[in-house]
mmCIF file of all heavy atoms in Angstrom:
data_model
loop_
_atom_site.group_PDB
_atom_site.id
_atom_site.type_symbol
_atom_site.label_atom_id
_atom_site.label_comp_id
_atom_site.label_asym_id
_atom_site.label_seq_id
_atom_site.Cartn_x
_atom_site.Cartn_y
_atom_site.Cartn_z
ATOM 1 N N TYR J 1050 -4.288 -3.561 14.778
ATOM 2 C CA TYR J 1050 -4.324 -2.965 13.423
ATOM 3 C C TYR J 1050 -2.939 -2.698 12.904
ATOM 4 O O TYR J 1050 -2.604 -3.131 11.763
ATOM 5 C CB TYR J 1050 -5.121 -1.649 13.456
ATOM 6 C CG TYR J 1050 -5.112 -0.974 12.073
ATOM 7 C CD1 TYR J 1050 -6.028 -1.373 11.090
ATOM 8 C CD2 TYR J 1050 -4.220 -0.003 11.727
ATOM 9 C CE1 TYR J 1050 -6.073 -0.752 9.860
ATOM 10 C CE2 TYR J 1050 -4.231 0.577 10.516
ATOM 11 C CZ TYR J 1050 -5.169 0.195 9.582
ATOM 12 O OH TYR J 1050 -5.150 0.751 8.291
ATOM 13 N N LEU J 1054 -1.543 -4.807 9.602
ATOM 14 C CA LEU J 1054 -1.333 -4.047 8.367
ATOM 15 C C LEU J 1054 0.185 -3.907 8.031
ATOM 16 O O LEU J 1054 0.563 -3.910 6.860
ATOM 17 C CB LEU J 1054 -1.969 -2.672 8.445
ATOM 18 C CG LEU J 1054 -3.435 -2.633 7.985
ATOM 19 C CD1 LEU J 1054 -3.565 -2.843 6.444
ATOM 20 C CD2 LEU J 1054 -4.323 -3.616 8.724
ATOM 21 N N TYR J 1058 1.654 -5.414 4.646
ATOM 22 C CA TYR J 1058 2.265 -4.557 3.609
ATOM 23 C C TYR J 1058 3.679 -4.929 3.398
ATOM 24 O O TYR J 1058 4.206 -4.859 2.243
ATOM 25 C CB TYR J 1058 2.140 -3.063 3.995
ATOM 26 C CG TYR J 1058 2.473 -2.188 2.865
ATOM 27 C CD1 TYR J 1058 1.650 -2.140 1.734
ATOM 28 C CD2 TYR J 1058 3.608 -1.397 2.901
ATOM 29 C CE1 TYR J 1058 1.930 -1.322 0.680
ATOM 30 C CE2 TYR J 1058 3.948 -0.564 1.835
ATOM 31 C CZ TYR J 1058 3.099 -0.549 0.710
ATOM 32 O OH TYR J 1058 3.390 0.309 -0.330
ATOM 33 N N ASN J 1061 3.663 -7.842 1.020
ATOM 34 C CA ASN J 1061 3.379 -7.506 -0.355
ATOM 35 C C ASN J 1061 4.532 -6.678 -0.956
ATOM 36 O O ASN J 1061 4.844 -6.870 -2.146
ATOM 37 C CB ASN J 1061 2.071 -6.595 -0.420
ATOM 38 C CG ASN J 1061 0.862 -7.400 -0.002
ATOM 39 O OD1 ASN J 1061 0.830 -8.647 -0.084
ATOM 40 N ND2 ASN J 1061 -0.130 -6.701 0.568
ATOM 41 N N ALA J 1092 -2.082 -9.290 -10.966
ATOM 42 C CA ALA J 1092 -2.791 -8.008 -10.688
ATOM 43 C C ALA J 1092 -4.310 -8.137 -11.026
ATOM 44 O O ALA J 1092 -5.137 -7.749 -10.220
ATOM 45 C CB ALA J 1092 -2.194 -6.898 -11.514
ATOM 46 N N THR J 1095 -6.098 -10.610 -8.586
ATOM 47 C CA THR J 1095 -6.176 -10.034 -7.302
ATOM 48 C C THR J 1095 -7.323 -8.990 -7.240
ATOM 49 O O THR J 1095 -8.106 -8.945 -6.287
ATOM 50 C CB THR J 1095 -4.839 -9.356 -6.863
ATOM 51 O OG1 THR J 1095 -3.825 -10.352 -6.837
ATOM 52 C CG2 THR J 1095 -4.950 -8.714 -5.508
ATOM 53 N N LEU J 1096 -7.400 -8.157 -8.278
ATOM 54 C CA LEU J 1096 -8.501 -7.209 -8.392
ATOM 55 C C LEU J 1096 -9.863 -7.883 -8.334
ATOM 56 O O LEU J 1096 -10.677 -7.481 -7.628
ATOM 57 C CB LEU J 1096 -8.310 -6.381 -9.609
ATOM 58 C CG LEU J 1096 -9.478 -5.347 -9.962
ATOM 59 C CD1 LEU J 1096 -9.704 -4.412 -8.840
ATOM 60 C CD2 LEU J 1096 -9.190 -4.712 -11.273
ATOM 61 N N VAL J 1097 -10.017 -8.922 -9.187
ATOM 62 C CA VAL J 1097 -11.275 -9.641 -9.246
ATOM 63 C C VAL J 1097 -11.642 -10.219 -7.944
ATOM 64 O O VAL J 1097 -12.775 -10.114 -7.434
ATOM 65 C CB VAL J 1097 -11.214 -10.712 -10.376
ATOM 66 C CG1 VAL J 1097 -12.488 -11.547 -10.280
ATOM 67 C CG2 VAL J 1097 -11.089 -10.073 -11.732
ATOM 68 N N ALA J 1099 -10.631 -9.332 -4.999
ATOM 69 C CA ALA J 1099 -10.845 -8.219 -4.042
ATOM 70 C C ALA J 1099 -12.274 -7.716 -4.173
ATOM 71 O O ALA J 1099 -13.055 -7.549 -3.169
ATOM 72 C CB ALA J 1099 -9.855 -7.118 -4.133
ATOM 73 N N VAL J 1100 -12.695 -7.421 -5.406
ATOM 74 C CA VAL J 1100 -14.025 -6.839 -5.620
ATOM 75 C C VAL J 1100 -15.101 -7.819 -5.254
ATOM 76 O O VAL J 1100 -16.079 -7.462 -4.567
ATOM 77 C CB VAL J 1100 -14.157 -6.383 -7.085
ATOM 78 C CG1 VAL J 1100 -15.559 -5.924 -7.411
ATOM 79 C CG2 VAL J 1100 -13.161 -5.270 -7.416
ATOM 80 N N LEU J 1156 -4.556 -12.840 -1.728
ATOM 81 C CA LEU J 1156 -4.278 -11.411 -1.664
ATOM 82 C C LEU J 1156 -5.558 -10.595 -1.824
ATOM 83 O O LEU J 1156 -5.787 -9.608 -1.146
ATOM 84 C CB LEU J 1156 -3.210 -11.010 -2.641
ATOM 85 C CG LEU J 1156 -1.812 -11.503 -2.419
ATOM 86 C CD1 LEU J 1156 -0.915 -11.190 -3.672
ATOM 87 C CD2 LEU J 1156 -1.216 -10.934 -1.171
ATOM 88 N N GLY J 1157 -6.362 -11.005 -2.831
ATOM 89 C CA GLY J 1157 -7.597 -10.313 -3.138
ATOM 90 C C GLY J 1157 -8.590 -10.284 -1.984
ATOM 91 O O GLY J 1157 -9.126 -9.235 -1.599
ATOM 92 N N GLY J 1159 -7.840 -10.717 1.051
ATOM 93 C CA GLY J 1159 -7.194 -10.007 2.172
ATOM 94 C C GLY J 1159 -7.330 -8.522 2.137
ATOM 95 O O GLY J 1159 -7.320 -7.855 3.177
ATOM 96 N N ILE J 1160 -7.585 -7.937 0.971
ATOM 97 C CA ILE J 1160 -7.682 -6.460 0.826
ATOM 98 C C ILE J 1160 -8.859 -5.916 1.657
ATOM 99 O O ILE J 1160 -8.710 -5.055 2.532
ATOM 100 C CB ILE J 1160 -7.732 -6.041 -0.629
ATOM 101 C CG1 ILE J 1160 -6.341 -6.219 -1.262
ATOM 102 C CG2 ILE J 1160 -8.144 -4.547 -0.756
ATOM 103 C CD1 ILE J 1160 -6.293 -6.008 -2.756
ATOM 104 N N PRO J 1161 -10.118 -6.303 1.353
ATOM 105 C CA PRO J 1161 -11.248 -5.701 2.133
ATOM 106 C C PRO J 1161 -11.235 -6.146 3.571
ATOM 107 O O PRO J 1161 -11.708 -5.456 4.432
ATOM 108 C CB PRO J 1161 -12.468 -6.268 1.365
ATOM 109 C CG PRO J 1161 -12.011 -7.473 0.660
ATOM 110 C CD PRO J 1161 -10.617 -7.258 0.289
ATOM 111 N N VAL J 1162 -10.709 -7.413 3.860
ATOM 112 C CA VAL J 1162 -10.675 -7.889 5.221
ATOM 113 C C VAL J 1162 -9.756 -7.012 6.091
ATOM 114 O O VAL J 1162 -10.169 -6.481 7.151
ATOM 115 C CB VAL J 1162 -10.245 -9.336 5.296
ATOM 116 C CG1 VAL J 1162 -9.967 -9.807 6.756
ATOM 117 C CG2 VAL J 1162 -11.280 -10.240 4.644
ATOM 118 N N SER J 1163 -8.542 -6.820 5.627
ATOM 119 C CA SER J 1163 -7.545 -6.066 6.447
ATOM 120 C C SER J 1163 -7.831 -4.583 6.497
ATOM 121 O O SER J 1163 -7.707 -3.958 7.551
ATOM 122 C CB SER J 1163 -6.127 -6.334 5.901
ATOM 123 O OG SER J 1163 -6.022 -5.961 4.531
ATOM 124 N N PHE J 1164 -8.189 -3.969 5.359
ATOM 125 C CA PHE J 1164 -8.400 -2.521 5.371
ATOM 126 C C PHE J 1164 -9.637 -2.109 6.171
ATOM 127 O O PHE J 1164 -9.744 -1.034 6.680
ATOM 128 C CB PHE J 1164 -8.474 -2.007 3.959
ATOM 129 C CG PHE J 1164 -7.179 -1.666 3.369
ATOM 130 C CD1 PHE J 1164 -6.301 -2.675 2.934
ATOM 131 C CD2 PHE J 1164 -6.712 -0.375 3.213
ATOM 132 C CE1 PHE J 1164 -5.037 -2.404 2.375
ATOM 133 C CE2 PHE J 1164 -5.477 -0.064 2.667
ATOM 134 C CZ PHE J 1164 -4.627 -1.056 2.252
ATOM 135 N N SER J 1165 -10.622 -3.096 6.318
ATOM 136 C CA SER J 1165 -11.810 -2.723 7.020
ATOM 137 C C SER J 1165 -11.570 -2.697 8.527
ATOM 138 O O SER J 1165 -12.422 -2.211 9.297
ATOM 139 C CB SER J 1165 -12.942 -3.727 6.711
ATOM 140 O OG SER J 1165 -12.591 -5.043 7.187
ATOM 141 N N PHE J 1259 -15.574 9.482 -5.114
ATOM 142 C CA PHE J 1259 -14.889 8.175 -4.914
ATOM 143 C C PHE J 1259 -13.940 7.878 -6.073
ATOM 144 O O PHE J 1259 -12.777 7.554 -5.826
ATOM 145 C CB PHE J 1259 -15.912 7.046 -4.742
ATOM 146 C CG PHE J 1259 -15.265 5.717 -4.625
ATOM 147 C CD1 PHE J 1259 -14.645 5.349 -3.423
ATOM 148 C CD2 PHE J 1259 -15.284 4.788 -5.726
ATOM 149 C CE1 PHE J 1259 -14.072 4.082 -3.316
ATOM 150 C CE2 PHE J 1259 -14.678 3.568 -5.559
ATOM 151 C CZ PHE J 1259 -14.084 3.192 -4.345
ATOM 152 N N TRP J 1260 -14.369 8.005 -7.307
ATOM 153 C CA TRP J 1260 -13.578 7.605 -8.429
ATOM 154 C C TRP J 1260 -12.465 8.563 -8.749
ATOM 155 O O TRP J 1260 -11.415 8.219 -9.378
ATOM 156 C CB TRP J 1260 -14.466 7.359 -9.698
ATOM 157 C CG TRP J 1260 -15.241 6.118 -9.493
ATOM 158 C CD1 TRP J 1260 -16.554 5.934 -9.166
ATOM 159 C CD2 TRP J 1260 -14.698 4.768 -9.653
ATOM 160 N NE1 TRP J 1260 -16.853 4.636 -9.136
ATOM 161 C CE2 TRP J 1260 -15.765 3.842 -9.434
ATOM 162 C CE3 TRP J 1260 -13.465 4.251 -9.970
ATOM 163 C CZ2 TRP J 1260 -15.598 2.500 -9.503
ATOM 164 C CZ3 TRP J 1260 -13.279 2.884 -10.066
ATOM 165 C CH2 TRP J 1260 -14.337 2.024 -9.797
ATOM 166 N N PRO J 1262 -10.377 10.048 -6.437
ATOM 167 C CA PRO J 1262 -9.211 9.523 -5.699
ATOM 168 C C PRO J 1262 -8.711 8.196 -6.243
ATOM 169 O O PRO J 1262 -7.548 7.936 -6.200
ATOM 170 C CB PRO J 1262 -9.722 9.377 -4.277
ATOM 171 C CG PRO J 1262 -10.846 10.356 -4.136
ATOM 172 C CD PRO J 1262 -11.460 10.408 -5.555
ATOM 173 N N VAL J 1263 -9.611 7.379 -6.776
ATOM 174 C CA VAL J 1263 -9.152 6.058 -7.329
ATOM 175 C C VAL J 1263 -8.207 6.332 -8.509
ATOM 176 O O VAL J 1263 -7.219 5.720 -8.634
ATOM 177 C CB VAL J 1263 -10.383 5.248 -7.794
ATOM 178 C CG1 VAL J 1263 -9.874 4.007 -8.555
ATOM 179 C CG2 VAL J 1263 -11.171 4.736 -6.580
ATOM 180 N N MET J 1266 -4.830 7.837 -7.249
ATOM 181 C CA MET J 1266 -4.067 6.858 -6.548
ATOM 182 C C MET J 1266 -3.498 5.848 -7.588
ATOM 183 O O MET J 1266 -2.375 5.296 -7.403
ATOM 184 C CB MET J 1266 -4.793 6.163 -5.448
ATOM 185 C CG MET J 1266 -5.011 7.001 -4.205
ATOM 186 S SD MET J 1266 -3.487 7.577 -3.440
ATOM 187 C CE MET J 1266 -2.803 6.042 -2.815
ATOM 188 N N PHE J 1267 -4.300 5.492 -8.557
ATOM 189 C CA PHE J 1267 -3.821 4.636 -9.652
ATOM 190 C C PHE J 1267 -2.572 5.291 -10.295
ATOM 191 O O PHE J 1267 -1.562 4.576 -10.535
ATOM 192 C CB PHE J 1267 -4.918 4.416 -10.729
ATOM 193 C CG PHE J 1267 -4.504 3.518 -11.777
ATOM 194 C CD1 PHE J 1267 -4.823 2.121 -11.751
ATOM 195 C CD2 PHE J 1267 -3.803 3.952 -12.964
ATOM 196 C CE1 PHE J 1267 -4.426 1.290 -12.792
ATOM 197 C CE2 PHE J 1267 -3.442 3.099 -13.961
ATOM 198 C CZ PHE J 1267 -3.759 1.761 -13.892
ATOM 199 N N PHE J 1270 0.564 4.957 -7.790
ATOM 200 C CA PHE J 1270 1.120 3.612 -7.749
ATOM 201 C C PHE J 1270 1.771 3.243 -9.060
ATOM 202 O O PHE J 1270 2.871 2.629 -9.067
ATOM 203 C CB PHE J 1270 0.065 2.591 -7.397
ATOM 204 C CG PHE J 1270 -0.159 2.400 -5.945
ATOM 205 C CD1 PHE J 1270 -1.182 3.190 -5.293
ATOM 206 C CD2 PHE J 1270 0.529 1.528 -5.199
ATOM 207 C CE1 PHE J 1270 -1.422 3.030 -3.932
ATOM 208 C CE2 PHE J 1270 0.302 1.411 -3.837
ATOM 209 C CZ PHE J 1270 -0.672 2.138 -3.178
ATOM 210 N N THR J 1368 1.905 6.125 0.491
ATOM 211 C CA THR J 1368 1.506 4.893 1.175
ATOM 212 C C THR J 1368 0.667 5.247 2.463
ATOM 213 O O THR J 1368 -0.299 4.566 2.729
ATOM 214 C CB THR J 1368 2.754 4.126 1.612
ATOM 215 O OG1 THR J 1368 3.604 3.853 0.447
ATOM 216 C CG2 THR J 1368 2.358 2.802 2.259
ATOM 217 N N LEU J 1370 -1.205 7.884 2.729
ATOM 218 C CA LEU J 1370 -2.512 8.298 2.137
ATOM 219 C C LEU J 1370 -3.362 7.044 1.776
ATOM 220 O O LEU J 1370 -4.564 6.996 2.051
ATOM 221 C CB LEU J 1370 -2.281 9.111 0.887
ATOM 222 C CG LEU J 1370 -3.525 9.635 0.105
ATOM 223 C CD1 LEU J 1370 -4.439 10.495 0.986
ATOM 224 C CD2 LEU J 1370 -3.103 10.427 -1.086
ATOM 225 N N ASN J 1371 -2.725 6.030 1.199
ATOM 226 C CA ASN J 1371 -3.436 4.831 0.764
ATOM 227 C C ASN J 1371 -4.088 4.141 1.963
ATOM 228 O O ASN J 1371 -5.208 3.601 1.831
ATOM 229 C CB ASN J 1371 -2.462 3.899 0.054
ATOM 230 C CG ASN J 1371 -3.138 2.672 -0.481
ATOM 231 O OD1 ASN J 1371 -4.036 2.794 -1.300
ATOM 232 N ND2 ASN J 1371 -2.695 1.464 -0.102
ATOM 233 N N PHE J 1372 -3.398 4.001 3.100
ATOM 234 C CA PHE J 1372 -3.944 3.315 4.220
ATOM 235 C C PHE J 1372 -5.106 4.069 4.906
ATOM 236 O O PHE J 1372 -6.089 3.454 5.330
ATOM 237 C CB PHE J 1372 -2.840 3.112 5.280
ATOM 238 C CG PHE J 1372 -1.939 1.988 5.013
ATOM 239 C CD1 PHE J 1372 -0.598 2.160 4.813
ATOM 240 C CD2 PHE J 1372 -2.459 0.663 4.892
ATOM 241 C CE1 PHE J 1372 0.263 1.059 4.507
ATOM 242 C CE2 PHE J 1372 -1.591 -0.418 4.609
ATOM 243 C CZ PHE J 1372 -0.240 -0.184 4.430
ATOM 244 N N ALA J 1373 -5.085 5.401 4.833
ATOM 245 C CA ALA J 1373 -6.096 6.176 5.528
ATOM 246 C C ALA J 1373 -7.273 6.520 4.682
ATOM 247 O O ALA J 1373 -8.372 6.635 5.112
ATOM 248 C CB ALA J 1373 -5.464 7.448 6.120
ATOM 249 N N LEU J 1374 -7.022 6.712 3.357
ATOM 250 C CA LEU J 1374 -8.012 7.250 2.467
ATOM 251 C C LEU J 1374 -9.270 6.416 2.272
ATOM 252 O O LEU J 1374 -10.390 6.923 2.443
ATOM 253 C CB LEU J 1374 -7.374 7.556 1.097
ATOM 254 C CG LEU J 1374 -8.325 8.198 0.009
ATOM 255 C CD1 LEU J 1374 -8.823 9.527 0.487
ATOM 256 C CD2 LEU J 1374 -7.533 8.290 -1.319
ATOM 257 N N TRP J 1375 -9.115 5.139 1.923
ATOM 258 C CA TRP J 1375 -10.231 4.295 1.636
ATOM 259 C C TRP J 1375 -11.179 4.123 2.782
ATOM 260 O O TRP J 1375 -12.416 4.189 2.623
ATOM 261 C CB TRP J 1375 -9.759 2.989 1.003
ATOM 262 C CG TRP J 1375 -8.784 3.211 -0.117
ATOM 263 C CD1 TRP J 1375 -7.478 2.776 -0.115
ATOM 264 C CD2 TRP J 1375 -9.040 3.956 -1.311
ATOM 265 N NE1 TRP J 1375 -6.863 3.233 -1.340
ATOM 266 C CE2 TRP J 1375 -7.797 3.918 -2.017
ATOM 267 C CE3 TRP J 1375 -10.092 4.618 -1.862
ATOM 268 C CZ2 TRP J 1375 -7.641 4.564 -3.272
ATOM 269 C CZ3 TRP J 1375 -9.966 5.242 -3.080
ATOM 270 C CH2 TRP J 1375 -8.767 5.209 -3.753
ATOM 271 N N PRO J 1376 -10.701 3.839 3.985
ATOM 272 C CA PRO J 1376 -11.663 3.791 5.130
ATOM 273 C C PRO J 1376 -12.359 5.104 5.386
ATOM 274 O O PRO J 1376 -13.558 5.110 5.792
ATOM 275 C CB PRO J 1376 -10.762 3.373 6.291
ATOM 276 C CG PRO J 1376 -9.604 2.645 5.690
ATOM 277 C CD PRO J 1376 -9.329 3.379 4.379
ATOM 278 N N LEU J 1378 -13.307 7.137 3.157
ATOM 279 C CA LEU J 1378 -14.286 7.338 2.071
ATOM 280 C C LEU J 1378 -15.412 6.327 2.222
ATOM 281 O O LEU J 1378 -16.182 6.147 1.309
ATOM 282 C CB LEU J 1378 -13.631 7.196 0.701
ATOM 283 C CG LEU J 1378 -12.742 8.346 0.187
ATOM 284 C CD1 LEU J 1378 -11.971 7.958 -1.049
ATOM 285 C CD2 LEU J 1378 -13.569 9.562 -0.050
ATOM 286 N N SER J 1379 -15.497 5.624 3.366
ATOM 287 C CA SER J 1379 -16.389 4.532 3.520
ATOM 288 C C SER J 1379 -17.239 4.645 4.848
ATOM 289 O O SER J 1379 -16.855 5.297 5.749
ATOM 290 C CB SER J 1379 -15.691 3.173 3.547
ATOM 291 O OG SER J 1379 -14.807 3.080 2.435
ATOM 292 N N ILE J 1384 -17.548 -0.309 3.389
ATOM 293 C CA ILE J 1384 -16.041 -0.465 3.521
ATOM 294 C C ILE J 1384 -15.490 -1.569 2.702
ATOM 295 O O ILE J 1384 -14.386 -1.439 2.111
ATOM 296 C CB ILE J 1384 -15.670 -0.627 5.033
ATOM 297 C CG1 ILE J 1384 -14.185 -0.715 5.225
ATOM 298 C CG2 ILE J 1384 -16.377 -1.838 5.591
ATOM 299 C CD1 ILE J 1384 -13.470 0.557 4.956
ATOM 300 N N GLY J 1385 -16.174 -2.678 2.596
ATOM 301 C CA GLY J 1385 -15.667 -3.825 1.814
ATOM 302 C C GLY J 1385 -15.533 -3.444 0.305
ATOM 303 O O GLY J 1385 -14.499 -3.689 -0.269
ATOM 304 N N THR J 1386 -16.611 -2.900 -0.237
ATOM 305 C CA THR J 1386 -16.561 -2.571 -1.648
ATOM 306 C C THR J 1386 -15.592 -1.427 -1.967
ATOM 307 O O THR J 1386 -14.801 -1.499 -2.931
ATOM 308 C CB THR J 1386 -18.028 -2.116 -2.107
ATOM 309 O OG1 THR J 1386 -18.962 -3.182 -1.797
ATOM 310 C CG2 THR J 1386 -18.048 -1.798 -3.543
ATOM 311 N N HIS J 1387 -15.605 -0.361 -1.122
ATOM 312 C CA HIS J 1387 -14.721 0.776 -1.434
ATOM 313 C C HIS J 1387 -13.272 0.417 -1.267
ATOM 314 O O HIS J 1387 -12.454 0.861 -2.085
ATOM 315 C CB HIS J 1387 -15.122 1.923 -0.502
ATOM 316 C CG HIS J 1387 -16.347 2.638 -0.886
ATOM 317 N ND1 HIS J 1387 -16.774 3.805 -0.369
ATOM 318 C CD2 HIS J 1387 -17.278 2.320 -1.853
ATOM 319 C CE1 HIS J 1387 -17.914 4.222 -0.896
ATOM 320 N NE2 HIS J 1387 -18.218 3.320 -1.816
ATOM 321 N N THR J 1388 -12.894 -0.309 -0.246
ATOM 322 C CA THR J 1388 -11.473 -0.707 -0.093
ATOM 323 C C THR J 1388 -11.059 -1.666 -1.214
ATOM 324 O O THR J 1388 -9.905 -1.633 -1.682
ATOM 325 C CB THR J 1388 -11.191 -1.327 1.261
ATOM 326 O OG1 THR J 1388 -12.046 -2.457 1.473
ATOM 327 C CG2 THR J 1388 -11.378 -0.287 2.389
ATOM 328 N N ALA J 1389 -11.973 -2.564 -1.620
ATOM 329 C CA ALA J 1389 -11.655 -3.524 -2.676
ATOM 330 C C ALA J 1389 -11.361 -2.792 -3.970
ATOM 331 O O ALA J 1389 -10.377 -3.115 -4.668
ATOM 332 C CB ALA J 1389 -12.791 -4.514 -2.845
ATOM 333 N N LEU J 1390 -12.224 -1.853 -4.280
ATOM 334 C CA LEU J 1390 -12.078 -1.035 -5.565
ATOM 335 C C LEU J 1390 -10.877 -0.131 -5.420
ATOM 336 O O LEU J 1390 -10.048 -0.015 -6.354
ATOM 337 C CB LEU J 1390 -13.326 -0.251 -5.835
ATOM 338 C CG LEU J 1390 -14.522 -1.076 -6.238
ATOM 339 C CD1 LEU J 1390 -15.786 -0.177 -6.298
ATOM 340 C CD2 LEU J 1390 -14.329 -1.694 -7.672
ATOM 341 N N GLY J 1391 -10.763 0.537 -4.321
ATOM 342 C CA GLY J 1391 -9.697 1.553 -4.160
ATOM 343 C C GLY J 1391 -8.293 0.858 -4.138
ATOM 344 O O GLY J 1391 -7.442 1.192 -4.979
ATOM 345 N N VAL J 1392 -8.109 -0.097 -3.251
ATOM 346 C CA VAL J 1392 -6.814 -0.741 -3.161
ATOM 347 C C VAL J 1392 -6.556 -1.706 -4.314
ATOM 348 O O VAL J 1392 -5.466 -1.785 -4.828
ATOM 349 C CB VAL J 1392 -6.697 -1.551 -1.809
ATOM 350 C CG1 VAL J 1392 -5.353 -2.231 -1.670
ATOM 351 C CG2 VAL J 1392 -6.914 -0.594 -0.631
ATOM 352 N N GLY J 1393 -7.629 -2.341 -4.767
ATOM 353 C CA GLY J 1393 -7.503 -3.297 -5.838
ATOM 354 C C GLY J 1393 -7.082 -2.670 -7.133
ATOM 355 O O GLY J 1393 -6.198 -3.074 -7.840
ATOM 356 N N ILE J 1394 -7.778 -1.514 -7.511
ATOM 357 C CA ILE J 1394 -7.492 -0.806 -8.735
ATOM 358 C C ILE J 1394 -6.269 0.088 -8.602
ATOM 359 O O ILE J 1394 -5.321 -0.020 -9.386
ATOM 360 C CB ILE J 1394 -8.702 -0.005 -9.215
ATOM 361 C CG1 ILE J 1394 -9.912 -0.924 -9.553
ATOM 362 C CG2 ILE J 1394 -8.388 0.879 -10.393
ATOM 363 C CD1 ILE J 1394 -11.190 -0.206 -9.920
ATOM 364 N N ALA J 1395 -6.356 0.977 -7.597
ATOM 365 C CA ALA J 1395 -5.280 1.988 -7.462
ATOM 366 C C ALA J 1395 -4.004 1.375 -6.943
ATOM 367 O O ALA J 1395 -2.918 1.891 -7.212
ATOM 368 C CB ALA J 1395 -5.761 3.124 -6.534
ATOM 369 N N GLY J 1396 -4.106 0.275 -6.187
ATOM 370 C CA GLY J 1396 -2.931 -0.320 -5.572
ATOM 371 C C GLY J 1396 -2.402 -1.487 -6.449
ATOM 372 O O GLY J 1396 -1.407 -1.396 -7.149
ATOM 373 N N TRP J 1397 -3.103 -2.599 -6.348
ATOM 374 C CA TRP J 1397 -2.582 -3.760 -7.018
ATOM 375 C C TRP J 1397 -2.599 -3.726 -8.534
ATOM 376 O O TRP J 1397 -1.563 -4.060 -9.142
ATOM 377 C CB TRP J 1397 -3.452 -4.985 -6.539
ATOM 378 C CG TRP J 1397 -3.004 -5.487 -5.193
ATOM 379 C CD1 TRP J 1397 -3.555 -5.157 -3.972
ATOM 380 C CD2 TRP J 1397 -1.943 -6.309 -4.917
ATOM 381 N NE1 TRP J 1397 -2.869 -5.720 -2.986
ATOM 382 C CE2 TRP J 1397 -1.879 -6.468 -3.506
ATOM 383 C CE3 TRP J 1397 -1.045 -6.994 -5.694
ATOM 384 C CZ2 TRP J 1397 -0.912 -7.253 -2.882
ATOM 385 C CZ3 TRP J 1397 -0.061 -7.825 -5.090
ATOM 386 C CH2 TRP J 1397 0.011 -7.958 -3.738
ATOM 387 N N LEU J 1398 -3.693 -3.351 -9.108
ATOM 388 C CA LEU J 1398 -3.730 -3.313 -10.577
ATOM 389 C C LEU J 1398 -2.670 -2.359 -11.106
ATOM 390 O O LEU J 1398 -1.924 -2.674 -12.045
ATOM 391 C CB LEU J 1398 -5.097 -2.877 -11.049
ATOM 392 C CG LEU J 1398 -5.330 -2.977 -12.602
ATOM 393 C CD1 LEU J 1398 -5.175 -4.381 -13.110
ATOM 394 C CD2 LEU J 1398 -6.738 -2.394 -12.911
ATOM 395 N N ALA J 1399 -2.591 -1.127 -10.541
ATOM 396 C CA ALA J 1399 -1.618 -0.135 -11.000
ATOM 397 C C ALA J 1399 -0.162 -0.636 -10.804
ATOM 398 O O ALA J 1399 0.660 -0.552 -11.699
ATOM 399 C CB ALA J 1399 -1.828 1.145 -10.302
ATOM 400 N N THR J 1400 0.083 -1.166 -9.637
ATOM 401 C CA THR J 1400 1.461 -1.608 -9.282
ATOM 402 C C THR J 1400 1.980 -2.651 -10.208
ATOM 403 O O THR J 1400 3.063 -2.587 -10.768
ATOM 404 C CB THR J 1400 1.526 -2.127 -7.844
ATOM 405 O OG1 THR J 1400 1.239 -1.028 -6.960
ATOM 406 C CG2 THR J 1400 2.914 -2.664 -7.532
ATOM 407 N N PHE J 1401 1.150 -3.709 -10.427
ATOM 408 C CA PHE J 1401 1.651 -4.860 -11.166
ATOM 409 C C PHE J 1401 1.481 -4.661 -12.700
ATOM 410 O O PHE J 1401 2.236 -5.286 -13.444
ATOM 411 C CB PHE J 1401 0.987 -6.120 -10.668
ATOM 412 C CG PHE J 1401 1.472 -6.515 -9.297
ATOM 413 C CD1 PHE J 1401 0.794 -6.234 -8.185
ATOM 414 C CD2 PHE J 1401 2.759 -7.077 -9.170
ATOM 415 C CE1 PHE J 1401 1.291 -6.516 -6.899
ATOM 416 C CE2 PHE J 1401 3.323 -7.329 -7.897
ATOM 417 C CZ PHE J 1401 2.539 -7.109 -6.752
#
Side-chain angles (χ1 to χ4, degrees):
Y1050 178 83
L1054 272 292
Y1058 192 67
N1061 295 333
T1095 299
L1096 172 61
V1097 172
V1100 173
L1156 292 172
I1160 289 173
V1162 171
S1163 59
F1164 274 75
S1165 65
F1259 178 73
W1260 286 102
V1263 171
M1266 286 301 292
F1267 182 94
F1270 275 92
T1368 304
L1370 179 60
N1371 184 57
F1372 281 118
L1374 179 61
W1375 309 117
L1378 286 171
S1379 307
I1384 182 67
T1386 303
H1387 284 190
T1388 55
L1390 289 170
V1392 181
I1394 295 175
W1397 280 95
L1398 186 61
T1400 295
F1401 289 100

